[in-house]
Amino acid sequence: MATTAPPSATPNDLLGVTKTLDLLAPRWSVWVLMTISSQPLRYAEFKPRLPWLADGQLHPRLRHLTNAGVVERTEYAPRHVTYGLTNRGVALLPVLAVIASWGDTYLEKELVADKRTGEMEPERIAPAQNIDDTVALLAPRHATPVLFSLQARGTATAKTLASEAMPGYGLTAVYKPLERLVDDGLVVASGAGGYQLTASGQGLVPVFQAISAWATDPSPESDVRRLRGQGAAPSQNRSGPWATTPTRLPAPVVPAASASRLALATTAPNGPAWQPGDLFSHQIPARPISPAGGPRR
């Protein structure tokens, strides 16, 4: 069983990753970021783009993202205020693309009939939903430290993971985070009391690298240069087990007539290639719980 110590850079990387996940974790934060990825908007202009958000939900998200330094509030007059991405926020867009790619590749999808051919194929999930669901997997307390430790070691016992990922806690405290990660398809028991990452857990390496690069480099411009062209593996029709996310209500269905007005495309020179309609131009169906024993998004 491998016992190699984690690399010395891990603590700084881990701190940056966990803080960034905390930034993205509040529900709808990613959707707000992507909504202003192409241009600043006035408060009232969010309504037609995120019609299911009440005023009481939007304002805390904007304040949270503004305090984090990724959204800028510009007041032109008492009743003329816009919200747009800061340079730091623009540098975050390629990171979101990496997260979305991982979610599209590894998160479970329902099979739906292709309207043209009638053949069953995995449903298309909006990038914002893929990011939201991926962050929901990684943001719970202790999840990312456990994943970092397993990435460094390959295989580790619960005792080792408790001492490295949860210092100050007793051995029994590590079992609940481990159980959740196993249920989510990111970790698997390897026998003899050991644990290791699944293929989807290993696939998080570029995600953590992208987040860490953004979090630990104070220069947005160098973030963009470093992350350009970097992403997770392209989406594939997987026949193996999917990673899962905690049950979360999907975004309400947006009528087709309104959907065309909700299309967003990033015009930032080094941002990800969000295509028109990527955010929520398709119907986002409710995802029923899979049959007993099956994974679910």
Side-chain angles (χ1 to χ4, degrees), residues 63-86:
R63 184 173 63 246
H64 167 72
L65 296 169
T66 300
N67 291 340
V70 293
V71 169
E72 182 177 31
R73 181 184 185 276
T74 303
E75 184 172 351
Y76 297 95
R79 299 181 64 84
H80 187 181
V81 177
T82 64
Y83 295 88
L85 295 181
T86 63

Side-chain angles (χ1 to χ4, degrees), residues 11 20 23 28 38 41 61 93 114 117 119 145 168 171 176 181 243 271:
T20 304
L23 162 66
W28 309 121
S38 58
L41 296 175
R61 295 288 78 73
L93 295 179
D114 187 293
T117 64
E119 296 181 359
L171 172 60
K176 187 173 182 180
L181 290 169

Side-chain angles (χ1 to χ4, degrees), residues 134-177:
T134 300
V135 171
L137 277 176
L138 305 177
R141 193 176 186 187
H142 306 306
T144 296
V146 169
L147 293 171
F148 259 62
S149 186
L150 287 174
Q151 282 182 6
R153 290 185 172 275
T155 303
T157 64
K159 182 177 181 180
T160 298
L161 293 172
S163 64
E164 290 185 355
M166 301 175 62
Y169 289 80
L171 172 60
T172 57
V174 78
Y175 287 107
K176 187 173 182 180

